[in-house]
């Protein structure tokens, strides 16, 4: 198939968790003989998106929360998204919540209201950066709803992710859904059967969204170690901080840890690090906001999701016109 992929962040040039998933899927699709052209906002790249058998939309919205962001005022042309939603065959893949919420993370935890209580005229920098000065819930926008309601297939990263987005949108007249299983390299993340000298470990951006306040309350006096960047404006005043390390070093930390801690304040679409830690043999300390633990199988057993990439492409190929 000729597939035109629209993704706000270019999956082959950005290294976020969502882009890692998209990149692996694109590479597999190309191996299967599909011609996949990519158009992105950051960076501004257009590989010749035009008539295609299928359009593949991935997190097409992304709204900065500060004027300092390089993404301020950058977006796909609205007319392009309207044309695809109205007249083209497409699938819609969500790696996050950016296509239903234009705030940072998901502060309503999926309990959306028509008038968003988390928006305010006082948040001037955020309002200017996102060009949104009202208080209406972003998910109420007609284009947002069309991108989900008219999609041939909505792709989510976990059962919790699907449940949260469908709840925001009202759950009515939703088309077919596909929950993508974890896509983790189990030849890199596995239990090395080593002696574990760290009681508790957290890996990721250290801040409010990932549950810093809860971790401070529960583990202030414990042997907890942190790996990752400290979010702007946050203060890490407990535990042992190892800084931000190369991705290739993460399996080593996880194989030293007895417990892996992940207590996000708001729903995580998946929580890739949780699956990586489970594969490395860590005992998980999580809460109800972790998409990874909503799968109906043992995420510590790689056999349960070894065919994730193939299952995705089989579902897409069944949509062939």
């Amino acid at each position: 198939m000729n597939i035109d992929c629209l993704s706000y962040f270019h999956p082959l040039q950005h290294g976020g968790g969502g882009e890692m998933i998209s990149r692996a899927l694109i590479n597999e699709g190309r191996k299967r003989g599909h011609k996949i052209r990519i158009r992105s906002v950051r960076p501004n790249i257009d590989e010749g998106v035009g008539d295609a058998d299928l359009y593949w939309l991935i997190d097409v919205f992304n709204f900065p929360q500060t004027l300092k962001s390089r993404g301020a005022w950058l977006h796909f042309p609205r007319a392009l998204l309207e044309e695809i939603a109205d007249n083209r065959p497409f699938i819609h893949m969500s790696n996050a919540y950016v296509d239903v919420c234009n705030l940072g993370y998901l502060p309503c935890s999926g309990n959306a209201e028509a008038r968003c209580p988390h928006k305010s005229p006082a948040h001037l920098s955020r309002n200017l950066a996102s060009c949104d000065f009202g208080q209406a819930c972003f998910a109420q926008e007609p284009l947002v709803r069309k991108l989900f309601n008219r999609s041939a297939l909505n792709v989510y990263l976990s059962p919790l992710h699907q449940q949260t987005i469908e709840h925001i949108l009202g759950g009515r007249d939703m088309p077919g859904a596909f929950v993508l299983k974890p896509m983790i390299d189990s030849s890199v993340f596995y239990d090395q059967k080593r002696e574990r000298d760290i009681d508790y470990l957290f890996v990721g951006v250290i801040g409010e969204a990932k549950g810093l306040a809860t971790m401070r309350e529960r583990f202030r006096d414990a042997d907890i170690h942190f790996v990752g960047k400290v979010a702007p404006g946050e203060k890490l005043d407990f535990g042992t901080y190892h800084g931000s390390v190369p991705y290739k070093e993460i399996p080593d930390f996880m194989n030293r840890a007895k417990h892996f801690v992940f207590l996000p304040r708001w729903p995580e679409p998946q929580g890739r690090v949780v699956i990586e830690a489970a594969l490395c043999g860590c005992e998980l300390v999580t809460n109800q906001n972790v998409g990874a633990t909503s799968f109906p199988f043992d995420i510590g057993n790689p056999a349960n999701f070894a065919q994730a990439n193939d299952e995705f492409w089989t579902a897409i190929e069944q949509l062939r016109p």
Side-chain angles (χ1 to χ4, degrees), residues 24-42:
L25 293 173
I26 289 169
N27 289 337
E28 175 64 19
R30 286 173 169 170
K31 288 179 183 178
R32 295 167 80 111
H34 300 297
K35 183 178 180 181
I36 302 173
R37 299 177 297 192
I38 302 172
R39 179 169 178 174
S40 63
V41 174
R42 294 185 59 187

Side-chain angles (χ1 to χ4, degrees), residues 6-314:
L6 281 74
S7 175
Y8 186 92
F9 289 106
H10 198 292
L12 307 188
Q13 299 198 21
H14 278 261
E19 288 72 47
M20 292 173 69
I21 292 170
S22 301
R23 183 187 315 132
L25 293 173
I26 289 169
N27 289 337
E28 175 64 19
R30 286 173 169 170
K31 288 179 183 178
R32 295 167 80 111
H34 300 297
K35 183 178 180 181
I36 302 173
R37 299 177 297 192
I38 302 172
R39 179 169 178 174
S40 63
V41 174
R42 294 185 59 187
N44 182 14
I45 291 178
D46 185 350
E47 297 180 353
V49 173
D51 287 336
D53 300 314
L54 184 69
Y55 290 80
W56 179 8
L57 309 184
I58 308 174
D59 294 341
V60 291
F61 298 111
N62 196 291
F63 292 90
Q65 303 302 303
T66 171
L67 289 169
K68 296 180 181 179
S69 170
R70 287 178 291 177
W73 303 320
L74 299 178
H75 50 78
F76 280 117
R78 189 178 187 90
L80 172 64
L81 299 179
E82 293 276 8
E83 165 65 18
I84 293 172
D86 290 340
N87 302 308
R88 310 285 178 169
F90 72 96
I91 63 169
H92 187 191
M93 178 171 169
S94 298
N95 284 324
Y97 292 105
V98 293
D99 283 357
V100 290
C101 181
N102 61 352
L103 295 174
Y105 302 99
L106 189 67
C108 72
S109 294
N111 298 310
E113 300 177 38
R115 187 176 185 273
C116 178
H118 304 282
K119 292 182 177 181
S120 168
H123 302 156
L124 184 60
S125 177
R126 177 263 160 197
N127 297 343
L128 285 168
S130 62
C131 299
D132 177 15
F133 298 92
Q135 289 186 268
C137 173
F138 181 63
Q140 298 294 320
E141 288 213 11
L143 177 57
V144 170
R145 305 186 82 81
K146 284 196 292 187
L147 291 177
F148 283 93
N149 292 337
R150 296 185 181 179
S151 171
L153 196 68
N154 285 314
V155 182
Y156 305 99
L157 299 192
S158 70
L160 175 65
H161 192 207
Q162 176 187 358
Q163 174 187 332
T164 303
I165 289 181
E166 291 186 351
H167 182 67
I168 290 171
L169 295 171
R172 297 184 300 273
D173 303 321
M174 297 293 288
F178 180 89
V179 176
L180 183 69
K181 292 178 182 176
M183 298 182 61
I184 312 293
D185 188 347
S186 60
S187 70
V188 175
F189 291 91
Y190 63 94
D191 188 350
Q192 299 172 11
K193 306 299 182 182
R194 293 165 47 183
E195 182 177 349
R196 298 179 183 262
D197 61 337
I198 293 174
D199 281 343
Y200 299 95
L201 174 69
F202 171 86
V203 175
V205 178
I206 303 162
E208 178 184 19
K210 305 299 182 184
L212 179 59
T214 301
M215 288 189 286
R216 181 183 289 112
E217 179 181 343
R218 290 181 55 177
F219 300 103
R220 176 183 288 277
D221 299 320
D223 175 35
I224 186 168
H225 293 239
F226 293 88
V227 174
K229 295 180 180 179
V230 178
E234 296 285 4
K235 181 180 180 181
L236 183 60
D237 53 4
F238 66 106
T240 301
Y241 182 49
H242 296 271
S244 182
V245 305
Y247 186 62
K248 64 181 181 181
E249 295 182 18
I250 299 301
D252 180 66
F253 277 97
M254 289 180 171
N255 272 279
R256 291 177 56 192
K258 299 173 184 175
H259 306 85
F260 186 80
V261 179
F262 200 70
L263 301 166
R265 179 173 176 181
W266 301 297
E268 282 281 327
Q270 188 181 88
R272 181 184 183 91
V273 290
V274 174
I275 302 164
E276 293 170 343
L279 291 171
C280 289
C282 299
E283 184 176 336
L284 302 178
V285 180
T286 62
N287 62 15
Q288 75 282 359
N289 288 329
V290 181
T293 58
S294 68
F295 284 102
F297 50 73
D298 178 8
I299 58 173
N301 182 354
N304 287 328
F305 43 87
Q307 303 302 316
N309 212 326
D310 179 69
E311 291 172 1
F312 170 83
W313 279 106
T314 298

